[in-house]
Amino acid sequence: MTVMAKPEQTNTRTLVSAPALSPAATAKPDLISVEQAKAMDVAGMTDLFKAHLNPGQLHFMKLLGFHKIKIERAEGMFYIDQNGRKILDFFGGFGSLAFGHNHPRILDARKKFQEEKRQEIAIAFMSQYAAALAHNLAKCSPGDLDMVFLGSSGSEAMEAALKLAERAAGPKRPKVVYAENSFHGKTKGVLGITDGQLYRADFKVADNTVRIPFGDIEAVERLFRSDPEVGVIVLETIQGGGGIIQAEAQYWQKLRALCDRHGVLWVADEVQCGYGRSGRFYAFEHYGVAPDVTALAKSLGGGKAAVGAMIARREIYMKAYGTPKTAMIHAMATFGGMGEACVTSIEALNVLYDEGLIDNAAVTGDYLLQRLQALREKFPKIIKDVRGKGLMVGLEFHDFSQTLPMVLRPVVSVLDDKLKGSLSGFVGALLLRDYDVLVAFTEYNRNVIRLEPPLICRREHVDRFVDAFDSLLSRGIVSIVKDFVKSQVR
């Protein structure tokens, strides 16, 4: 028997050098660097905004005096402009800044994620961060709302909610009910249930929708009884664009009962009023009921990331997408569930409860409403109504003619419709110019100033805001108009 000796092992691997990068042949355009962008002055910003973003919007920014401001940084309840001026934020990005600006815990979570070079886009694999965020949202949600779709905006979350509900309702019940003065987003699908001609313009929107008055339960019942094709009803729990409008508690309780009786799916849009803003995690929790599908966005991203979510009852979700054949019909898009965005949201949810911000919204919101009600009693000819829940508050002015001296009212009243929103604009512009306070407005009722400060808002911030408002209104309407006009000609 011949024994073959094992040949001596040698490293015969051929080493191949990586090819050098190809020489740059593509000319670099005249790009602005990060540092150059940071150093840009107001004039430069204005030129680029007009040239490349939205020239028409610039017109309104100039009317309000917003075009003169360059925000250098932001912290807590304040913006800081190019002159070091601190601007109290009672706008809150339409409810996107529950934690104020640059909350330290949220910044730390994002910084650690980046330093550890964790995965950002993991489409081919499961993401521990997306899974954890979905779990947390299910834990925050009442009833059996426990199936989550992650996206990047409120419109995307509402698109997902609408598609899921329509599919679960089935082809024999294709009609979707929505409310007057509703706002559910500007993307093509939800535009069909957004009740605003400005946004609808001349687009061809879905024709399977039915419009009803908001808060009218008898209208809902008549429709459900008369039309068996109705399968879905979509409502904001508190209408934001409509002017901070609420329905009575009984409305929501009866709605839940009607939906159960007639087999209609209820979608609650909580993009703006949810996430603790009303003093409960969801605004519908005030009424002891839960929808079949809901949606969150705005502050879900902690003020640092674009995150939206649809949360649905498992039974409804599985009916729509519960088989391998149907699972991918509306799966997450490329940027749904991105790593750092999810980590931001995970930390933000923990901060929301650790710092008691939901309870603070309830308590501080009550204090804000009390102080504004006192202001209404002081200026009854100017302030028509004060309403809201938690830190989602609307302050409505009378029509312009009604705020003027009696002798001027008959002459000006014929212009009231055209002048709607003018007083809100004058007040908003002067609050910013003279008192360093930022407020917002509403889409449909232009006489309403919208207040959605961060949930970190304290009594001292409320006092500063209301005292500024009081001082401004004490000038009288004629002086307010004169001061505004002067600001436009300077």
Side-chain angles (χ1 to χ4, degrees), residues 399-402 404 408-420:
D399 283 338
F400 194 74
S401 66
Q402 301 304 303
L404 296 172
L408 296 175
R409 290 183 187 180
V411 178
V412 179
S413 63
V414 296
L415 299 173
D416 272 339
D417 190 57
K418 291 184 178 179
L419 290 173
K420 273 193 183 296

Side-chain angles (χ1 to χ4, degrees), residues 130-368:
L133 176 57
H135 168 271
N136 287 356
L137 287 171
K139 288 293 183 182
C140 293
S141 302
D144 52 354
L145 288 165
D146 60 0
M147 297 297 290
V148 177
F149 169 91
L150 296 174
S152 304
S153 69
S155 291
E156 188 180 359
M158 282 304 298
E159 291 277 2
L162 182 60
K163 286 180 70 177
L164 179 137
E166 280 196 54
R167 183 166 172 79
K172 293 182 179 181
R173 308 192 67 174
K175 292 186 179 180
V176 178
V177 181
Y178 70 99
E180 293 176 357
N181 294 326
S182 62
F183 182 86
H184 299 291
K186 300 175 187 176
T187 49
K188 196 64 165 19
V190 291
L191 199 57
I193 54 172
T194 289
D195 185 35
Q197 191 54 45
L198 171 67
Y199 303 120
R200 288 188 172 210
D202 54 0
F203 295 110
K204 174 64 177 174
V205 299
D207 58 5
N208 63 326
T209 59
V210 184
R211 179 173 174 262
I212 60 169
F214 180 74
D216 186 343
I217 198 64
E218 292 180 359
V220 175
E221 186 168 11
R222 285 194 300 270
L223 180 60
F224 284 9
R225 284 179 174 176
S226 64
D227 193 342
E229 290 192 344
V230 170
V232 180
I233 184 167
V234 183
L235 300 166
E236 296 162 273
T237 314
I238 302 173
Q239 287 193 325
I244 317 300
I245 304 298
Q246 301 176 69
E248 298 292 333
Q250 288 185 344
Y251 174 85
W252 300 107
Q253 293 156 6
K254 290 179 179 179
L255 176 70
R256 180 69 273 175
L258 283 172
C259 286
D260 291 340
R261 187 181 313 149
H262 293 276
V264 176
L265 299 179
W266 167 25
V267 177
D269 183 342
E270 293 258 340
V271 167
Q272 191 170 149
C273 62
Y275 204 82
R277 180 150 296 277
S278 72
R280 301 291 295 270
F281 187 80
Y282 293 104
F284 58 72
E285 291 183 275
H286 287 283
Y287 311 116
V289 291
D292 301 292
V293 186
T294 189
L296 294 170
K298 302 294 186 185
S299 289
L300 183 58
K304 298 300 292 185
V307 184
M310 174 204 74
I311 307 97
R313 292 172 50 215
R314 186 176 188 85
E315 176 187 356
I316 304 301
Y317 183 92
M318 296 302 287
K319 189 174 182 181
Y321 306 131
T323 68
K325 185 177 179 180
T326 60
M328 302 304 291
I329 290 175
H330 197 91
M332 281 194 296
T334 304
F335 300 119
M338 288 182 71
E340 188 173 334
C342 287
V343 164
T344 306
S345 293
I346 290 167
E347 184 67 3
L349 278 168
N350 279 278
V351 171
L352 186 70
Y353 288 95
D354 291 346
E355 298 191 358
L357 297 185
I358 298 176
D359 296 330
N360 185 66
V363 173
T364 307
D366 283 346
Y367 180 63
L368 173 61

